[in-house]
Amino acid sequence: MADRAPSVPSTSAPLLAATAPPPRVSKSTSAPSRIPPASSLARFGDKIYGAVTFLASLSIFIIILWLLYQLTGASLPAIHKFGWSFITKSDWNEETNSFHALPFIFGTLYSSLIALVLSVPISIGAAIFLSELAPRWIRTPATFLIELLAAIPSVVYGLWGIFILIPFLKLYVFQPVIQPHVPIYHRHLVHSVIRVGHSHLPFSYNHFDTTHIPLAQVKGIGFLFTGQSAGYSMLAAGMILAIMVTPFITAVTRDILRAIPRSQREGSYALGATQWETIKQVVIPYAKSGIIGAVILGLGRALGETMAVTMVIGNQSPSTPSGVSLSLFDSGYTMSSVLANKFNEAIPGLNLAALVEIALVLFGVTVFVNIVARLLVFYTAKDVHGGK
Amino acid sequence: MSVAPPHSSLLGKQSGNVARRKAQNVVMLSLCMLAAGLAILVLGLVLFFLLSKGFSSLHLSLFTRPPDNIDIKKGGMIQSIFGTLVLLGIASCLGLPLGILGGIYQLEAKGKFASTVRFFTDVLNGIPSIVIGIFAYAAIVYPVAQAHPGTGFSAYAGGFALGILMVPTVMRTTEEILRLVPFALREASLGLGATRWRTMWSVVLPAARGGVITGIMLALARIAGETAPLLFTILGSEYFSTHAVLGGHAHVPTLNAPIDALPLRIYNYSQDVNPDRQAQAWAGAVVLISLILVLSIAARFATRGNMQEEK
């Protein structure tokens, strides 16, 4: 403290001199000498300043309320007509004017779940590696790569999904499972990758009913593979979402781990713990609330993600009677991809109202997830402090 | 690191136990390494294909010509690049003042209301961009189309949607950056008799200039790649819509008509069966990412300059 005290004015003085034009500074410093008019003028200025910034922050509430008003108003016809059955039934038919959104809600939740199952272990493992184990020559470029990929827009991930991921899945996952006796033609993928624009049809099928393949008969996991497979699938959507949220979760988790004081780890090592035991018993519990928050924020992103999912999920509800299927190979539909596909062609009236109601449901789901994330972080953080 | 349990009561008893713990250590750390390797491999593949496919189909006419429906290969996407820049401009007009002033309020204000504002800023930040697009459609496009049939989709509607996406991002980063300015600086200014707004304008904001610019650049980089809110607001266009000004002597771009944006063009071309269009989608992706990278790198430089100043 003692050596800091004199340094503060010495840094602030040149800053003042460098940034504020001298005559104005002298005006404001001479203000106290002319007390009554100047101070009331100054107070008036501060009132305006306070009011303007207050109004700007109020814009947050105005936007949210306006958004709710518009969405609710536009979806009222559908809300009146269908009530709760909108989210519990599956039928979506423009011709009979019957609109229900269960398959889309399910698709949104299921694709995000697949994404988290794939992404969370890898993200947390990678974050632990980057913060605890990696030497500097790996850490710096890897961190750069992860930050770079977090900035890539979703439409570009979708492009990658259509032309790289889906041909790859068809060739190395779907086809070997569906037609085990047909050899894999590697050169097709090589072809599609090297020659731009020739990525269509590197596979021997376009559409296949997987209900009778051996894998679909296996008890316990068979339901994951039965369905109508055309490459564009729930699995592809889950994978592209996982690829998109991994940089985000990894980056946030890594930052949290790096913020943990060294002394915590050293204490554990001094007690004789191995590095893994230190990570498991000291580092992760310390960072638990932050990691949960990062995962749920990643979930929020996955739920609302539109373009990349729309481009690879197939945009067709599974052909089961309920329109809901746990199959990874079947195509699917999410709330956001329904909006992206159908909104511009919607007929004004009940059809448009039902689509806006989907947007309203999506809004509700993401807001709910965000609030749960904040509360969870809030309460677990409290626990940590209580433990100290 | 040598593992020698000092107290057998605390950490196992036998050397067999130590061997097991050491083995577990190696296995789990290897798993972490594997996870990192897998993540970096997949992310590297994303980048590799993007660059290899993008650069192989990049050519000059992309930046000089609008799409050509007869000779597709000769077409470009100049109108999309222009549209993206216009949209960023309109969004900034809405998002920057609201975001920066709101951030200043969150810094200055204390108490329950300020934390409520902060909470709802996060809520707004978490709303999917496609919902914002529907909102912009319901709030602007639809009423305008009702009043003047045949119009509605416009640069203004798209810029409005993107601007709303900017507000919470800019607000949070501005607040966080301003909070880093030492309190003593503000106290010194207030102690000299400066008013609060003068202190903010002449002391706090200049000190945090680099950081605020960084926040703005990152917000711009984020919205530059947004596609979903544009689907229902700008519609897309394959040419420049212009109108005559100065008695027909000059033509300026019309903002009150459907315009194009790079991410929208990439999406449309990715759905096209024509391989040349698909190739242009990859090239467009490289252009879009370059734009975002330029904004991000500019953001880095803004902060770096500020830090050197402080030293």
Side-chain angles (χ1 to χ4, degrees):
Chain A
M1 236 8 232
D3 59 317
R4 267 191 72 188
S7 77
V8 170
S10 72
T11 53
S12 64
L15 245 170
L16 264 175
T19 51
R24 292 189 188 179
V25 168
S26 65
K27 221 184 235 173
S28 63
T29 48
S30 68
S33 60
R34 298 178 283 131
I35 290 166
S39 74
S40 69
L41 197 72
R43 241 181 259 156
F44 182 65
D46 268 359
K47 266 187 185 155
I48 292 180
Y49 167 68
V52 168
T53 54
F54 175 74
L55 283 178
S57 72
L58 216 56
S59 70
I60 290 285
F61 295 103
I62 296 171
I63 290 170
I64 292 180
L65 289 178
W66 189 14
L67 188 147
L68 270 177
Y69 168 77
Q70 289 286 355
L71 294 190
T72 322
S75 59
L76 266 184
I79 294 174
H80 278 308
K81 179 96 193 281
F82 304 114
W84 286 109
S85 78
F86 187 77
I87 57 169
T88 56
K89 286 188 183 168
S90 309
D91 174 39
W92 184 279
N93 193 330
E94 278 94 359
E95 276 151 30
T96 59
N97 255 346
S98 169
F99 301 106
H100 304 90
L102 179 65
F104 317 139
I105 298 170
F106 174 80
T108 294
L109 297 177
Y110 193 47
S111 57
S112 302
L113 178 76
I114 297 169
L116 283 194
V117 167
L118 293 174
S119 163
V120 166
I122 290 178
S123 306
I124 293 179
I128 290 173
F129 175 77
L130 287 179
S131 95
E132 312 285 315
L133 308 170
R136 183 175 268 277
W137 63 269
I138 296 182
R139 198 194 301 151
T140 315
T143 310
F144 175 74
L145 180 69
I146 284 168
E147 280 179 10
L148 184 67
L149 285 150
I152 289 184
S154 74
V155 69
V156 176
Y157 278 104
L159 193 68
W160 191 86
I162 292 180
F163 295 109
I164 308 294
L165 180 66
I166 290 197
F168 175 84
L169 282 179
K170 279 185 165 181
L171 199 58
Y172 291 108
V173 178
F174 294 152
Q175 187 181 319
V177 167
I178 294 166
Q179 303 171 311
H181 52 280
V182 178
I184 297 174
Y185 295 105
H186 293 277
R187 61 185 176 85
H188 282 308
L189 188 75
V190 173
H191 215 68
S192 78
V193 163
I194 291 172
R195 294 181 54 191
V196 171
H198 291 264
S199 44
H200 53 296
L201 296 180
F203 33 79
S204 60
Y205 75 98
N206 262 329
H207 182 94
F208 203 91
D209 186 351
T210 62
T211 314
H212 303 293
I213 62 169
L215 199 58
Q217 309 302 323
V218 181
K219 268 212 169 123
I221 58 162
F223 65 87
L224 291 175
F225 306 103
T226 165
Q228 308 292 321
S229 172
Y232 295 87
S233 58
M234 204 49 116
L235 179 65
M239 284 179 80
I240 206 87
L241 278 177
I243 292 172
M244 291 179 72
V245 297
T246 296
F248 176 76
I249 300 180
T250 307
V252 178
T253 308
R254 192 198 71 106
D255 287 346
I256 294 165
L257 294 181
R258 302 212 17 109
I260 296 173
R262 242 181 107 81
S263 56
Q264 294 280 332
R265 299 185 180 94
E266 283 166 356
S268 170
Y269 290 144
L271 288 172
T274 62
Q275 196 167 8
W276 169 249
E277 283 163 349
T278 302
I279 291 167
K280 196 178 94 177
Q281 295 165 2
V282 176
V283 173
I284 289 183
Y286 197 97
K288 192 177 67 187
S289 68
I291 294 176
I292 293 174
V295 169
I296 297 189
L297 288 180
L299 173 67
R301 291 196 157 196
L303 289 172
E305 181 46 56
T306 308
M307 299 319 294
V309 173
T310 305
M311 289 159 89
V312 300
I313 200 171
N315 297 318
Q316 201 166 27
S317 301
S319 50
T320 55
S322 62
V324 168
S325 163
L326 287 170
S327 170
L328 298 174
F329 284 15
D330 218 328
S331 60
Y333 230 153
T334 66
M335 288 190 266
S336 47
S337 58
V338 169
L339 293 174
N341 272 304
K342 297 195 171 180
F343 196 82
N344 270 342
E345 281 106 55
I347 308 148
L350 204 55
N351 189 352
L352 198 66
L355 285 167
V356 178
E357 195 180 348
I358 290 183
L360 195 63
V361 173
L362 182 59
F363 169 82
V365 169
T366 46
V367 168
F368 176 76
V369 165
N370 268 302
I371 290 178
V372 167
R374 311 256 158 232
L375 291 181
L376 217 61
V377 171
F378 181 71
Y379 281 113
T380 44
K382 230 178 179 178
D383 280 354
V384 168
H385 288 297
K388 271 183 205 165
Chain B
M1 195 188 67
S2 63
V3 182
H7 299 292
S8 50
S9 60
L10 241 180
L11 294 161
K13 291 162 258 171
Q14 261 90 52
S15 61
N17 202 355
V18 171
R20 188 180 57 77
R21 287 172 52 217
K22 274 189 171 172
Q24 188 193 32
N25 186 39
V26 170
V27 169
M28 295 312 291
L29 294 186
S30 316
L31 280 181
C32 287
M33 214 178 285
L34 196 70
L38 193 64
I40 289 169
L41 175 75
V42 172
L43 299 181
L45 281 177
V46 172
L47 212 59
F48 170 75
F49 285 121
L50 203 61
L51 295 180
S52 70
K53 283 210 159 193
F55 276 107
S56 63
S57 39
L58 206 60
H59 53 97
L60 193 66
S61 66
L62 215 63
F63 304 98
T64 56
R65 292 168 54 86
D68 192 328
N69 282 325
I70 297 149
D71 191 350
I72 289 172
K73 277 191 177 173
K74 277 194 179 163
M77 37 180 69
I78 174 79
Q79 94 290 6
S80 322
I81 297 169
F82 172 77
T84 289
L85 296 178
V86 166
L87 287 171
L88 288 183
I90 298 176
S92 303
C93 292
L94 175 69
L96 293 189
L98 285 182
I100 293 176
L101 289 172
I104 290 174
Y105 176 82
Q106 292 186 20
L107 176 80
E108 299 260 15
K110 288 174 190 66
K112 213 159 203 174
F113 181 74
S115 62
T116 317
V117 172
R118 218 162 283 144
F119 178 79
F120 279 97
T121 310
D122 286 341
V123 168
L124 186 59
N125 209 4
I127 295 175
S129 58
I130 192 158
V131 175
I132 305 285
I134 303 262
F135 166 51
Y137 177 87
I140 295 187
V141 178
Y142 189 72
V144 170
Q146 292 294 308
H148 310 278
T151 64
F153 296 105
S154 66
Y156 297 119
F160 173 76
L162 294 184
I164 285 182
L165 284 170
M166 268 182 100
V167 172
T169 326
V170 175
M171 218 180 253
R172 283 319 293 266
T173 49
T174 305
E175 188 212 342
E176 277 161 23
I177 294 296
L178 293 184
R179 214 167 272 285
L180 294 181
V181 176
F183 205 72
L185 269 184
R186 279 200 271 167
E187 281 172 345
S189 170
L190 292 170
L192 284 171
T195 57
R196 282 158 67 88
W197 71 269
R198 169 64 80 190
T199 301
M200 179 56 67
W201 181 250
S202 304
V203 178
V204 181
L205 278 180
R209 194 184 57 219
V212 173
I213 293 174
T214 300
I216 294 169
M217 293 291 182
L218 291 179
L220 284 175
R222 187 195 147 192
I223 62 162
E226 284 288 354
T227 319
L230 302 180
L231 288 171
F232 324 124
T233 51
I234 65 170
L235 201 64
S237 166
E238 294 203 340
Y239 47 86
F240 283 103
S241 14
T242 55
H243 63 269
V245 289
L246 298 174
H249 289 297
H251 291 266
V252 295
T254 312
L255 299 183
N256 204 5
I259 62 160
D260 214 31
L262 260 179
L264 199 61
R265 184 73 10 209
I266 296 169
Y267 174 62
N268 287 336
Y269 281 178
S270 77
Q271 306 291 309
D272 206 302
V273 290
N274 187 312
D276 294 329
R277 288 266 201 245
Q278 294 173 1
Q280 286 180 355
W282 283 102
V286 166
V287 176
L288 179 61
I289 289 171
S290 311
L291 176 68
I292 290 171
L293 270 189
V294 166
L295 288 169
S296 312
I297 290 170
R300 287 258 165 102
F301 271 101
T303 333
R304 188 167 297 163
N306 190 47
M307 278 178 170
Q308 280 166 353
E309 238 169 61
E310 273 171 20
K311 275 170 196 169

